[in-house]
Amino acid sequence: MKLNKIPIPNDTCLVEIVSDDNTQNHCVYFLNMEGELIDYVKIIDASVSEVISLLPHMFKIQFTPMQMWEMQCETSFNRIFEPDVIPYDSIFAWQMDSEMVGIIRHFGKINNVLNYLETDEFKSEVHILDDFIYSRPTPIEKESEEVHNRGIAARKRMLKIIREWVI
């Protein structure tokens, strides 16, 4: 299949490319600032680099369901069961919250904006990483310092992995 163009909806704040494991199939999700799905495109028989080259959006992330599953397993600190592997084309499963959209956009600016680390914008936004890492999102983290410290370590690992996926 020869791709010529992938149209990007106007309100897109983040392009999420979820590539099927061990195939040339992809779903491209267009998310708004809140992480909600605006639209999606399913692409069959194309390389990841071809798909990426047809998306002139500054904020892109690409991963596979297995990479997501491995990240969830590696960063789990308060879970009894392993997470499920979500199919790449499970349309609404790949939405995210506004906090994660902000973090990914921050990583996108670090990757794509010249001298971004030296700007006032960077200095005013860098707190979103610490806010995520040091938050106490679960009741057990509010009660137990040991669990909270495990949560901090897990969220740091999570952000390191996610940053590697940001294009």
Side-chain angles (χ1 to χ4, degrees), residues 7-16 29-40 57-59 95 98 101-102 105:
I8 299 175
N10 286 339
D11 292 338
T12 300
C13 288
L14 177 63
V15 177
E16 185 177 34
Y29 300 100
F30 304 100
L31 306 179
N32 67 16
M33 201 63 175
E34 287 77 41
E36 297 167 345
L37 182 69
I38 297 171
D39 201 0
Y40 72 96
H57 202 275
M58 189 166 98
F59 302 108
Q95 296 184 115
S98 60
V101 169
R105 285 174 58 89

Side-chain angles (χ1 to χ4, degrees), residues 13-19 26-29 47-64 67 103-113 159-167:
C13 288
L14 177 63
V15 177
E16 185 177 34
I17 305 161
V18 184
S19 302
H26 318 273
C27 257
V28 178
Y29 300 100
S47 69
V48 172
S49 58
E50 186 179 8
V51 173
I52 291 169
S53 71
L54 295 172
L55 293 164
H57 202 275
M58 189 166 98
F59 302 108
K60 296 178 284 227
I61 185 168
Q62 187 273 325
F63 55 89
T64 68
Q67 288 173 316
I103 289 168
I104 293 169
R105 285 174 58 89
H106 182 73
F107 289 152
K109 291 174 192 174
I110 290 171
N111 291 350
N112 296 304
V113 176
L159 290 185
K160 182 178 180 205
I161 292 167
I162 289 171
R163 184 168 180 183
E164 292 171 4
W165 297 345
V166 174
I167 300 165

Side-chain angles (χ1 to χ4, degrees), residues 37-99:
L37 182 69
I38 297 171
D39 201 0
Y40 72 96
V41 176
K42 190 170 182 178
I43 299 169
I44 307 297
D45 197 28
S47 69
V48 172
S49 58
E50 186 179 8
V51 173
I52 291 169
S53 71
L54 295 172
L55 293 164
H57 202 275
M58 189 166 98
F59 302 108
K60 296 178 284 227
I61 185 168
Q62 187 273 325
F63 55 89
T64 68
M66 186 55 71
Q67 288 173 316
M68 177 62 77
W69 180 83
E70 289 169 346
M71 184 268 293
Q72 289 175 328
C73 289
E74 185 178 328
T75 61
S76 176
F77 67 96
N78 194 27
R79 182 187 289 242
I80 297 170
F81 302 106
E82 266 181 12
D84 293 327
V85 176
I86 302 168
Y88 80 104
D89 58 354
S90 182
I91 312 292
F92 294 104
W94 297 107
Q95 296 184 115
M96 59 183 74
D97 62 22
S98 60
E99 182 179 35

